[in-house]
């Protein structure tokens, strides 16, 4: 075991004394029990994480009962919903910070295996990146979704508030009326109720085989969640003893499975950022085009908030990820999992209990999967959540309205300076340009809340999983790196065709090139971390590939 150097070597005799100062018994050191780390992202800021301390205790019990020694430390987390519009630029960089945190703690303290206790947006992919990078036995426990409040037959949850911003800005709702609804929207612990980024990445984790079956959708306060935490602690000790490592589980076939399940469910566009980053740590290159290819082959079987009426608790009762795997078993590649059985074995045992929440292949909500990749003269690639776009909006063209900040766009909404049929363009929001590639839920939901029905939005930033409508993100190359989005000016005609996968501005290539020579990126206030993040993404796209 990796920890033997601490438990047995003469050179590490003082190290053992330090461990005993921390409460480890000499008998446990002499017994050769494996050291198991617990990377716990508990905090009392993020609703999806306020209950993780209790899950950590169950993980510890499982580790101890299986004959391991648990060591716990804290991992930071950003709540995207709280950071959005305030200081959102640090959220995506926190993903790398979390992966580094786990690497530092696991390697510095000779852990034989580790458990990541996580839930929300960047924490789960950061931990998966660490698992792939370190290739030391690991398992993740995702904390589970909250349940929506039901008030007079209406589901209430926090993300509704973003649309209310637009209603207030447009004068359709007073701030006093909005504030009176706050208590109805507060649901308690868990990740947000719909298939936003947190729950999307929990689904990805389970499908990759890195969490126990059913973990992704089990509600945060369900007693089953504690059982899953205990089982995860027990299983990681078995993984150490069997020598089963993450890269044996997170194979290329497993990543393709994860993309397929995500497409069938209609998950967040952020998965297109996170899955390739995790795969890259495992030595696997996934191009953005694989998402479009798999999406074209995969019918959309679920319609979960924000795309449809169902919440994650409904999805769990309907059969969860095993149920979707059962529907898709003819498309799924076999791959091992932390459960000790293969993904096809889990698929075979999966059952669907509600055929409307998880529809059959022959009766999908949409014939294609959740995400489409668009290309054209202003995008080598761009991403849209196509299953959240009305059929009448799949093809649009209109004059560009260019804004360089969310605040400027919100001001235009408030002063009613936008018209139906216009295309909002938000450049310089990418990893280098913002920097940090912030999410754009505030402006997208403000447009919706203000009542706009035919206003599209295009950005080199990214979107929350809560975004709906004709909102196109991840435009590459980004404007800061002289991508053609930087050449778009007020009044230029933008053409969007989701079915044809095209995104163009009605300009000649010569004119685009001429305008790019004149581009001056807007000045931004930068912290040292943001400055280093900008340097990292100069000349490369958001997937880390060169221009």
């Amino acid at each position: 075991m990796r920890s033997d150097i601490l438990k047995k070597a003469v050179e590490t005799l003082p190290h053992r004394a330090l461990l005993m100062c921390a409460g480890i018994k000499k008998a446990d050191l002499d017994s050769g029990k494996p050291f198991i780390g617990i990377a716990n992202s508990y905090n009392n800021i993020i609703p999806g994480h306020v209950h993780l301390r209790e899950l950590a205790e169950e993980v510890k019990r499982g580790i101890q009962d299986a004959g391991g020694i648990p060591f716990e430390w804290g991992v930071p987390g950003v709540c995207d919903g709280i950071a959005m519009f305030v200081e959102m630029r640090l959220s995506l960089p926190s993903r790398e910070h979390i992966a580094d945190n786990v690497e530092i703690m696991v390697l510095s303290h000779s852990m034989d295996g580790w458990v990541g206790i996580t839930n929300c947006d960047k924490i789960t992919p950061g931990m998966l990146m660490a698992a792939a990078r370190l290739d030391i036995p690991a398992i993740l426990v995702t904390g589970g979704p909250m349940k929506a409040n039901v008030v007079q037959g209406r589901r209430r949850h926090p993300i509704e508030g973003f649309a209310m911003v637009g209603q207030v800005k447009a004068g359709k709702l007073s701030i006093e009326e909005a504030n009176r609804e706050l208590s109805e929207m507060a649901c308690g612990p868990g990740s947000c109720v719909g298939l936003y980024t947190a729950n999307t990445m929990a689904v990805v984790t389970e499908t990759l085989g890195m969490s126990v079956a059913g973990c992704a959708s089990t509600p945060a306060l369900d007693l089953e969640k504690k059982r899953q935490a205990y089982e995860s602690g027990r299983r990681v000790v078995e993984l150490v003893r069997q020598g089963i490592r993450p890269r044996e589980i997170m194979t290329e076939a497993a990543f393709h499975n994860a993309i397929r399940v995500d497409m069938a469910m209609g998950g967040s566009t952020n998965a297109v950022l996170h899955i390739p980053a995790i795969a890259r740590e495992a030595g696997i290159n996934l191009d953005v085009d694989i998402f479009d290819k798999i999406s074209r082959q995969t019918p959309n079987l679920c319609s979960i908030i924000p795309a449809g009426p169902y919440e994650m608790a409904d999805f769990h009762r309907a059969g969860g990820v095993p149920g979707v795997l059962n529907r898709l078993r003819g498309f799924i590649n076999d791959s091992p999992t932390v459960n000790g059985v293969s993904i096809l074995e889990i698929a075979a045992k999966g059952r669907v209990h509600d055929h409307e929440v998880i529809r059959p292949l022959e009766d999908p909500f949409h014939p294609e999967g959740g995400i489409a990749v668009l290309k054209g003269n202003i995008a080598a690639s761009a991403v849209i959540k196509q299953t959240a776009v009305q059929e009448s909006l799949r093809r649009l063209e209109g004059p560009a309205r260019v804004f360089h900040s969310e605040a400027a766009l919100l001001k235009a909404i408030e002063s009613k300076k936008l018209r139906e049929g216009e295309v909002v363009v938000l450049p310089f929001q990418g990893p280098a340009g913002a920097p940090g590639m912030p999410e754009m839920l505030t402006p997208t939901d403000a447009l919706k809340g203000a009542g706009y029905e035919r206003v599209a939005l295009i950005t080199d930033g990214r979107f929350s999983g809560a975004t709906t409508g004709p909102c196109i993100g991840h435009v590459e190359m980004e404007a800061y790196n002289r991508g053609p989005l930087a050449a778009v000016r007020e009044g230029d005609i933008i053409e969007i065709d989701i079915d044809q996968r095209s995104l163009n501005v009605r300009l000649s290539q010569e004119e685009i090139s001429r305008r790019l020579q004149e581009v001056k990126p807007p000045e931004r206030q930068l912290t040292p971390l943001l400055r280093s993040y900008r340097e990292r993404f100069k000349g490369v796209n958001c997937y880390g590939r060169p221009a």
Side-chain angles (χ1 to χ4, degrees), residues 463-539:
F463 295 121
S464 162
T467 298
T468 58
C471 299
I472 300 167
H474 304 200
V475 172
E476 292 296 347
M477 290 296 289
E478 64 170 290
Y480 188 89
N481 286 332
R482 291 294 189 270
L485 192 67
V488 177
R489 295 179 181 171
E490 289 274 327
D492 290 342
I493 301 301
I494 305 287
E495 301 170 337
I496 303 166
D497 192 327
I498 297 174
D499 293 330
Q500 296 300 316
R501 301 298 202 261
S502 66
L503 175 62
N504 292 286
V505 60
R506 209 175 287 168
L507 294 173
S508 68
Q509 191 57 53
E510 291 75 18
E511 177 62 13
I512 292 173
S513 298
R514 186 190 68 78
R515 289 185 185 183
L516 289 177
Q517 300 303 312
E518 303 170 358
V519 168
K520 292 183 179 179
E523 294 290 328
R524 309 283 198 207
Q525 286 190 330
L526 303 181
T527 65
L529 190 154
L530 288 172
R531 190 172 293 111
S532 66
Y533 199 76
R534 168 173 281 178
E535 289 299 316
R536 175 182 173 183
F537 281 94
K538 280 184 178 178

Side-chain angles (χ1 to χ4, degrees), residues 124-125 128 140 142 195-211 215-217 249-250 254-263 265 267-268 270-276 278-279 286 291 312 315 321 325 337 343 371:
T124 300
L128 286 171
L140 265 61
T142 52
L195 193 57
Y196 310 131
T197 304
N199 292 322
T200 295
M201 292 311 300
V203 166
V204 166
T205 302
E206 185 176 333
T207 310
L208 279 174
M210 288 299 293
S211 65
C215 192
S217 60
I249 295 168
M250 290 192 281
F255 282 107
H256 286 191
N257 290 340
I259 295 170
R260 192 171 300 280
V261 169
D262 184 40
M263 295 304 106
M265 292 184 62
S268 168
N270 278 312
V272 184
L273 275 179
H274 298 319
I275 292 175
I278 299 160
L286 292 179
F291 288 83
M312 286 298 291
F315 173 69
V321 172
L325 288 168
T337 75
I343 200 73
I371 287 170

Side-chain angles (χ1 to χ4, degrees), residues 196-249:
Y196 310 131
T197 304
N199 292 322
T200 295
M201 292 311 300
V203 166
V204 166
T205 302
E206 185 176 333
T207 310
L208 279 174
M210 288 299 293
S211 65
V212 298
C215 192
S217 60
T218 301
L221 300 184
D222 194 309
L223 288 177
E224 175 67 7
K225 182 57 68 177
K226 288 189 175 181
R227 189 203 65 78
Q228 291 167 352
Y230 174 84
E231 176 65 11
S232 298
R234 195 184 65 78
R235 279 297 303 159
V236 76
V237 176
E238 294 177 9
L239 293 174
V240 169
R241 289 185 171 139
Q242 294 166 5
I244 299 173
R245 298 172 178 268
R247 291 192 189 184
E248 296 174 49
I249 295 168

Side-chain angles (χ1 to χ4, degrees), residues 108 136 231 448:
S108 298
I136 291 167
E231 176 65 11
K448 182 170 65 176

Side-chain angles (χ1 to χ4, degrees), residues 201-470:
M201 292 311 300
V203 166
V204 166
T205 302
E206 185 176 333
T207 310
L208 279 174
M210 288 299 293
S211 65
V212 298
C215 192
S217 60
T218 301
L221 300 184
D222 194 309
L223 288 177
E224 175 67 7
K225 182 57 68 177
K226 288 189 175 181
R227 189 203 65 78
Q228 291 167 352
Y230 174 84
E231 176 65 11
S232 298
R234 195 184 65 78
R235 279 297 303 159
V236 76
V237 176
E238 294 177 9
L239 293 174
V240 169
R241 289 185 171 139
Q242 294 166 5
I244 299 173
R245 298 172 178 268
R247 291 192 189 184
E248 296 174 49
I249 295 168
M250 290 192 281
T251 61
E252 187 167 4
F255 282 107
H256 286 191
N257 290 340
I259 295 170
R260 192 171 300 280
V261 169
D262 184 40
M263 295 304 106
M265 292 184 62
S268 168
T269 53
N270 278 312
V272 184
L273 275 179
H274 298 319
I275 292 175
I278 299 160
R280 189 162 57 246
E281 296 284 1
I284 298 166
N285 288 320
L286 292 179
D287 191 89
V288 66
D289 289 340
I290 192 64
F291 288 83
D292 196 69
K293 179 182 177 181
I294 292 176
S295 185
R296 288 177 185 267
Q297 301 168 345
T298 309
N300 172 229
L301 307 180
C302 302
S303 190
I304 302 170
I305 296 170
Y310 303 110
E311 62 175 295
M312 286 298 291
D314 298 322
F315 173 69
H316 181 66
R317 286 192 295 270
V321 172
V324 174
L325 288 168
N326 185 269
R327 292 281 201 232
L328 297 174
R329 60 191 182 278
F331 297 94
I332 296 296
N333 305 297
D334 208 8
S335 188
T337 75
V338 296
N339 297 276
V341 296
S342 75
I343 200 73
L344 280 182
E345 291 176 272
I346 293 171
K349 292 179 181 178
R351 294 292 180 269
V352 176
H353 307 294
D354 188 321
H355 300 282
E356 180 59 23
V357 177
I358 305 174
R359 285 191 175 180
L361 290 175
E362 59 273 16
D363 183 30
F365 285 99
H366 301 277
E368 293 184 348
I371 287 170
V373 177
L374 312 184
K375 299 185 178 185
N377 67 352
I378 52 172
S381 68
V383 176
I384 187 168
K385 190 173 184 176
Q386 63 170 338
T387 48
V389 180
Q390 294 179 30
E391 191 65 33
S392 62
L393 302 179
R394 293 182 68 85
R395 189 182 185 285
L396 291 169
E397 66 175 59
R401 297 295 310 279
V402 182
F403 301 90
H404 286 173
S405 71
E406 293 178 80
L409 173 54
L410 290 176
K411 187 175 181 181
I413 294 170
E414 189 171 11
S415 57
K416 300 179 174 61
K417 290 184 177 179
L418 292 178
R419 298 179 185 277
E420 293 285 13
E422 293 181 329
V423 179
V424 170
V425 177
L426 264 172
F428 300 103
Q429 305 299 323
M437 203 178 186
E439 284 185 350
M440 299 288 153
L441 179 57
T442 299
T444 58
D445 262 21
L447 286 168
K448 182 170 65 176
Y452 290 104
E453 296 180 352
R454 294 189 63 81
V455 173
L457 190 150
I458 302 171
T459 182
D460 49 9
R462 60 192 177 89
F463 295 121
S464 162
T467 298
T468 58

Side-chain angles (χ1 to χ4, degrees), residues 60-279:
K60 287 177 191 173
R61 277 203 320 117
I63 292 168
Q64 290 166 338
D65 287 355
I69 303 175
F71 295 89
E72 182 182 5
W73 69 90
V75 173
V78 172
C79 178
D80 284 13
I82 295 172
M84 210 172 295
F85 189 69
V86 180
E87 181 48 275
M88 185 65 185
R89 298 178 298 170
L90 294 163
S91 177
L92 187 57
S94 76
R95 184 186 71 181
E96 277 68 22
H97 178 78
I98 289 159
D100 293 345
N101 171 297
V102 175
E103 177 183 351
I104 289 166
M105 294 300 290
V106 166
L107 295 186
S108 298
H109 302 103
S110 301
M111 297 296 158
D112 298 303
W114 64 281
V115 180
I117 305 177
T118 174
N119 212 15
C120 289
D121 296 0
K122 310 307 166 296
I123 301 95
T124 300
M127 288 190 180
L128 286 171
M129 288 167 65
R133 179 190 301 176
L134 300 176
D135 201 29
I136 291 167
I139 190 169
L140 265 61
V141 178
T142 52
M146 62 177 68
K147 291 183 179 180
N149 288 332
V150 179
V151 182
Q152 296 180 343
R154 177 185 171 192
R155 295 180 198 253
R156 306 306 308 272
H157 57 89
I159 305 305
E160 289 181 88
F162 287 94
M164 291 168 68
V165 171
Q167 292 175 302
V168 172
K169 293 285 186 183
K172 297 183 174 185
L173 185 72
S174 72
I175 187 62
E176 292 78 19
E177 290 172 318
N179 278 324
R180 280 198 293 270
E181 295 191 43
L182 277 176
S183 59
E184 295 181 0
M185 296 188 291
C187 300
S191 52
C192 294
V193 300
L195 193 57
Y196 310 131
T197 304
N199 292 322
T200 295
M201 292 311 300
V203 166
V204 166
T205 302
E206 185 176 333
T207 310
L208 279 174
M210 288 299 293
S211 65
V212 298
C215 192
S217 60
T218 301
L221 300 184
D222 194 309
L223 288 177
E224 175 67 7
K225 182 57 68 177
K226 288 189 175 181
R227 189 203 65 78
Q228 291 167 352
Y230 174 84
E231 176 65 11
S232 298
R234 195 184 65 78
R235 279 297 303 159
V236 76
V237 176
E238 294 177 9
L239 293 174
V240 169
R241 289 185 171 139
Q242 294 166 5
I244 299 173
R245 298 172 178 268
R247 291 192 189 184
E248 296 174 49
I249 295 168
M250 290 192 281
T251 61
E252 187 167 4
F255 282 107
H256 286 191
N257 290 340
I259 295 170
R260 192 171 300 280
V261 169
D262 184 40
M263 295 304 106
M265 292 184 62
S268 168
T269 53
N270 278 312
V272 184
L273 275 179
H274 298 319
I275 292 175
I278 299 160

